[in-house]
Amino acid sequence: MPTAYLVMAVVSIAALTAIFTYRRHRMVAMLGWIGWLLISAYFLVEYVVILNVAAPYDFFHQPMSDLGVTVCGEDAYLLTTNDICSPYHLLINWSFALSGIATIAGALGLRTWWPAGKKVDIALWLLVVHGLSNIAAGLVPADVDFWLHTLGSIPGMVVQIPALLLLGLAIRKSKPLLAWWTFICWVGTTGALILLFYQPEWMSLPGGLLQRVLYATVYLWMGAVALTIWKQQRFSA
């Protein structure tokens, strides 16, 4: 494993260990809140990486993972013929890992903000899986191990769907506006995943854009949760 990715692995393991160990500590709650508030900044990082590619990159049709490929050329990994060259691949892979850590910190650290109940617990642990999936995608680029990258990424494309549905139902009476936003994001991420399944048959579908919608809806939802928490704390002070 290259040194840069070894450092990423060590940092990720250390961060996860601290989050799981001290998940009820106020500091983890604060870090989770900040992480959810800023998580959509991933797309700003992605924009910078796209601006610096050394081979044409199609935002609408190429997957996000192409930006994290560590080599240049065609056939960089299994099942692709794209000409890929992303000099800032380390930056995008760090972004994958950090967004995963932020997701987990928020899911565990902000638990007391949500209603009590087993269904909410299940939903938040599904978000933990979502975060772990993002970390795996960053640690193992597609060209390093295609199957490990792919199998690690797949859960993060699915588990947010039941998680958002369960959380929306849990707060539909106590926080109706946030519940509506949760359902809207649930429809967005679910629709994007369904269309991605049909992409092999309908090659005209913009797979890269759909993948970004799949994640962006979840990140925007997290931002809305963080803003709601901030407003409640601000006005109760």
Side-chain angles (χ1 to χ4, degrees):
M1 177 183 288
T3 302
Y5 287 90
L6 181 60
V7 171
M8 189 187 302
V10 171
V11 170
S12 298
I13 292 171
L16 293 177
T17 301
I19 291 168
F20 279 93
T21 303
Y22 300 104
R23 60 183 180 272
R24 294 181 177 86
H25 195 279
R26 180 177 174 82
M27 182 60 69
V28 174
M30 180 60 67
L31 290 175
W33 177 79
I34 294 171
W36 279 26
L37 184 67
L38 300 179
I39 196 167
S40 293
Y42 160 81
F43 291 101
L44 294 177
V45 175
E46 186 183 77
Y47 178 69
V48 171
V49 174
I50 291 173
L51 286 180
N52 288 277
V53 294
Y57 180 82
D58 188 340
F59 174 89
F60 289 96
H61 290 92
Q62 284 184 247
M64 297 156 66
S65 294
D66 279 8
L67 296 173
V69 168
T70 65
V71 297
C72 292
E74 297 180 354
D75 303 317
Y77 60 86
L78 191 65
L79 303 182
T80 187
T81 57
N82 295 325
D83 184 13
I84 300 170
C85 193
S86 179
Y88 285 17
H89 58 84
L90 185 59
L91 179 59
I92 201 70
N93 287 325
W94 264 109
S95 296
F96 291 154
L98 291 175
S99 65
I101 292 170
T103 298
I104 295 169
L108 296 180
L110 300 175
R111 175 61 187 94
T112 57
W113 185 78
W114 296 95
K118 188 170 293 186
K119 291 181 180 179
V120 172
D121 288 335
I122 291 172
L124 294 174
W125 280 105
L126 286 172
L127 291 179
V128 169
V129 174
H130 188 278
L132 291 172
S133 181
N134 283 355
I135 294 171
L139 286 175
V140 186
D143 62 298
V144 174
D145 190 318
F146 173 76
W147 290 113
L148 190 57
H149 174 86
T150 301
L151 293 175
S153 300
I154 287 175
M157 301 175 70
V158 178
V159 294
Q160 78 283 358
I161 294 174
L164 292 184
L165 181 59
L166 288 172
L167 292 172
L169 291 172
I171 61 173
R172 66 188 186 279
K173 293 181 179 179
S174 59
K175 301 175 180 66
L177 288 179
L178 183 59
W180 274 109
W181 178 242
T182 303
F183 292 135
I184 290 170
C185 292
W186 173 76
V187 170
T189 193
T190 303
L193 182 62
I194 291 172
L195 290 175
L196 277 171
F197 279 134
Y198 281 99
Q199 190 192 2
E201 298 179 21
W202 301 341
M203 296 303 293
S204 59
L205 287 176
L209 180 61
L210 288 172
Q211 188 186 27
R212 287 170 171 86
V213 171
L214 186 76
Y215 287 96
T217 48
V218 181
Y219 291 174
L220 290 172
W221 172 80
M222 290 179 185
V225 172
L227 286 174
T228 302
I229 293 173
W230 174 76
K231 287 182 178 179
Q232 287 185 349
Q233 291 180 342
R234 182 187 181 198
F235 293 126
S236 63

